[in-house]
Amino acid sequence: MDNVFEVLNERGFIKQTTNAEQVARLLGEEQVAYYVGFDPTASSLHVGSLVPIMAMAHLQRAGHKPIAIIGGGTTMIGDPTDKTEMRPMLSLEQISTNSKGILAQLQRYLNLDNGIANNEESQIASKAGRFLNNADWLLSVNYIEFLRDIGKHFRVNEMIQAKGYQQRLDRELGLSFLEFNYQLLQAYDYLCLFQKYACRLQLGGDDQWGNILAGVDLVRRVEGERVHAVTFPLLTTASGAKMGKTAGGAVWLDAERTSPYEFYQYWINVDDRDVSRFLAYFTFLPMDEIRRLGNLEDEAIREAKEVLAYQATKLAHGKAEADKAQAASRAAFGGGNLDEAEMPTTVITSERLDIGIPIMMLFHEVGLANSRSDARRLIQQGGAYINEKQCRAIDMVVDTDLLEENALLLRAGKKRYHRIIIKEN
RNA sequence: GGGGGCAUGCUAGAGCGGUCAAAUAGGGCAGACUGUAAAUCUGUUGGCUAUGCCUACGGUGGUUCGAAUCCAUCUGCCCCCA
């Protein structure tokens, strides 16, 4: 079998490494503890985080030990990397809540058996990966000791070369001292993980390269050991947009924020040019199969998109949800039976419908329009449908006459559906 | 500590006393075309009980018949000097 490093490389996960040969040899010869940091700024990860997650999963499948770090301590400061504004500082409670959500999501992809802030000695022997919060060691740091032991290894001249900082300095955006320290803290994380868990490899987005290298250097200076770094290419879609953004905002891994159906639809709707790359990143399908799918052209490429959507949804939400999403998607767009489809649904009492609901109000209420004015526009422009019939009259009142099998199917534009079910009372 | 500048809609960015719900671009939404793709074209893009009304140009208070536009003050950000 190929070395995991080769697997990752073939799938496009590798952008930069400290030393490709050494990393490959390390991964081929021993069981390596590796880590990736995640931001606890929200209670859910979004599809952008899937690149590191999938890379971790490949490594774990190859027998290496993942360590997922929640940047609880660093988030309390804010990360300047490639951001035009400071990140908000979060409270400990928020971070802890967010961490729980993130852990649950990571566990779908990885075997991480310990909980938050739980780094008992017994678990060091555990085969599963770990989930740690860097607040555990950062919060107790003593400023003077930190400066003496860690700070002395850093040169400001070098630090400000980092791209993220450079931008902030050049563009008059300003850089707070807090944020400037981020690099030291992240480097310190690596050192701690090396000392405690023999972590020898850090992975991260390519924008983190500078920070990761700072950690590699720090370990070398303090411990005299060679540790490694691998970065992932920063994913953008073929049209140049940041990965994982859609009309409605980010595509989350949390089913509460982005339903499995919407998640599935996100993948179905990717740009043709992104399909093979995404298959390599976001599924475990063998590369031969991916190449076959990637060679499909014109309409046939939808088959590849369907595979991508199904596989990605299955990983994130499980087989049952993926099946449902697929069925719903096929129903909505392939002429299948729409009533069977799983889609956002609102229950309305028959009483209300007897009176009649103005169409603008209805579209707004179920969320297909952001306001009544928005609904008005939608209707006027011919984007509103009830039971697949276009409705252009803004003064239309929806009542029981329109019911089909005790339900209504609303549609806004081409892709957004909403079902209304009537409840007797 | 001293001096100067900036703050506008989702974003960037015009406007500098009335004709401003505010140019322009990007983004979003809708329509046409299509393959639930891309590109292109068209329309639209604060809210509402809708030919009108309300809320908006960092906060507050003034000047004025009338302010995003002028003045004062507060807050935040930036630059230069020390």
Side-chain angles (χ1 to χ4, degrees):
Chain A
M1 184 54 208
D2 288 343
N3 182 310
V4 223
F5 184 80
E6 286 311 314
V7 172
L8 290 176
N9 198 22
E10 185 179 24
R11 289 181 168 262
F13 281 98
I14 294 173
K15 170 80 175 179
Q16 298 191 74
T17 62
T18 38
N19 182 310
E21 281 166 42
Q22 287 178 27
V23 174
R25 195 171 339 119
L26 181 69
L27 289 170
E29 288 172 357
E30 43 189 299
Q31 186 193 59
V32 180
Y34 59 98
Y35 99 91
V36 176
F38 293 92
D39 228 335
T41 42
S43 65
S44 171
L45 298 167
H46 52 84
V47 296
S49 305
L50 240 28
V51 171
I53 293 173
M54 290 298 289
M56 289 181 91
H58 280 290
L59 284 164
Q60 186 167 40
R61 287 178 171 210
H64 301 291
K65 293 178 64 169
I67 303 175
I69 298 291
I70 276 296
T74 27
T75 299
M76 293 177 75
I77 290 176
D79 175 5
T81 312
D82 206 27
K83 290 286 183 297
T84 48
E85 286 170 25
M86 261 183 81
R87 288 187 189 181
M89 301 186 202
L90 301 182
S91 71
L92 271 178
E93 301 84 81
Q94 279 176 302
I95 290 169
S96 154
T97 308
N98 292 348
S99 297
K100 281 176 193 146
I102 290 168
L103 173 61
Q105 289 164 5
L106 289 175
Q107 280 174 323
R108 301 209 76 111
Y109 296 84
L110 300 165
N111 177 9
L112 300 171
D113 72 349
N114 61 333
I116 293 159
N118 182 357
N119 47 5
E120 294 294 315
E121 289 301 308
S122 63
Q123 283 166 341
I124 292 174
S126 153
K127 285 215 162 165
R130 267 178 279 273
F131 182 77
L132 305 171
N133 186 338
N134 69 5
D136 291 348
W137 54 86
L138 288 181
L139 291 187
S140 58
V141 160
N142 171 301
Y143 192 58
I144 298 299
E145 284 175 15
F146 188 80
L147 286 181
R148 186 190 60 202
D149 299 337
I150 306 301
K152 72 173 177 191
H153 296 295
F154 288 82
R155 314 267 84 197
V156 171
N157 309 45
E158 279 171 41
M159 289 173 71
I160 61 174
Q161 297 305 314
K163 202 175 153 218
Y165 295 124
Q166 202 67 59
Q167 276 177 359
R168 295 289 292 261
L169 292 171
D170 289 349
R171 289 189 194 168
E172 311 178 357
L173 286 166
L175 171 65
S176 75
F177 184 67
L178 287 181
E179 294 176 275
F180 188 55
N181 276 269
Y182 191 81
Q183 195 180 77
L184 295 231
L185 295 178
Q186 199 171 323
Y188 183 63
D189 281 351
Y190 202 166
L191 180 62
C192 290
L193 290 169
F194 173 79
Q195 290 171 336
K196 251 183 152 166
Y197 303 105
C199 177
R200 304 182 69 91
L201 176 65
Q202 179 179 182
L203 303 95
D206 200 49
D207 55 340
Q208 297 294 315
W209 181 241
N211 289 342
I212 298 174
L213 277 189
V216 170
D217 280 344
L218 184 63
V219 173
R220 198 192 68 239
R221 287 185 172 135
V222 175
E223 298 291 336
E225 292 277 347
R226 178 81 162 132
V227 294
H228 292 278
V230 169
T231 60
F232 313 117
L234 291 182
L235 263 204
T236 51
T237 61
S239 48
K242 223 175 185 176
M243 169 87 202
K245 295 276 181 186
T246 61
V251 179
W252 303 95
L253 298 188
D254 180 358
E256 295 295 311
R257 295 193 188 212
T258 301
S259 72
Y261 174 75
E262 291 170 287
F263 188 82
Y264 184 93
Q265 285 299 313
Y266 171 76
W267 299 106
I268 282 280
N269 284 319
V270 299
D271 194 304
D272 285 5
R273 294 166 288 178
D274 290 325
V275 175
S276 27
R277 273 160 73 223
F278 285 8
L279 280 165
Y281 283 127
F282 305 117
T283 74
F284 287 108
L285 297 177
M287 284 306 288
D288 290 344
E289 173 72 357
I290 290 173
R291 275 187 282 267
R292 182 188 75 75
L293 290 166
N295 283 332
L296 296 172
E297 286 179 357
D298 300 327
E299 281 190 55
I301 202 164
R302 284 190 301 165
E303 181 197 336
K305 290 186 184 180
E306 199 170 62
V307 171
L308 170 65
Y310 182 77
Q311 293 295 330
T313 308
K314 190 170 142 192
L315 285 169
H317 299 295
K319 185 173 186 310
E321 290 297 334
D323 285 335
K324 270 202 278 181
Q326 185 169 59
S329 178
R330 283 178 177 166
F333 297 100
N337 186 356
L338 272 172
D339 292 342
E340 305 277 315
E342 153 132 338
M343 61 180 71
T345 301
T346 299
V347 177
I348 281 183
T349 61
S350 60
E351 192 181 0
R352 286 190 62 197
L353 209 64
D354 286 339
I355 301 164
I357 305 170
I359 182 166
M360 288 195 304
M361 213 182 267
L362 189 63
F363 271 79
H364 175 218
E365 194 175 317
V366 302
L368 289 177
N370 292 325
S371 65
R372 284 181 204 172
S373 297
D374 194 32
R376 171 189 297 269
R377 257 172 249 130
L378 185 74
I379 295 158
Q380 282 173 338
Q381 294 180 130
Y385 297 79
I386 294 179
N387 294 330
E388 294 303 315
K389 236 185 87 207
Q390 193 178 49
C391 302
R392 301 196 79 130
I394 55 164
D395 51 0
M396 176 175 170
V397 173
V398 180
D399 58 28
T400 47
D401 295 346
L402 290 162
L403 280 179
E404 281 180 13
E405 294 175 20
N406 227 26
L408 289 170
L409 181 69
L410 305 186
R411 193 178 110 207
K414 269 177 271 204
K415 299 177 189 171
R416 288 147 56 221
Y417 285 88
H418 198 103
R419 210 144 91 99
I420 306 272
I421 293 178
I422 306 309
K423 191 182 85 189
E424 299 296 336
N425 63 334

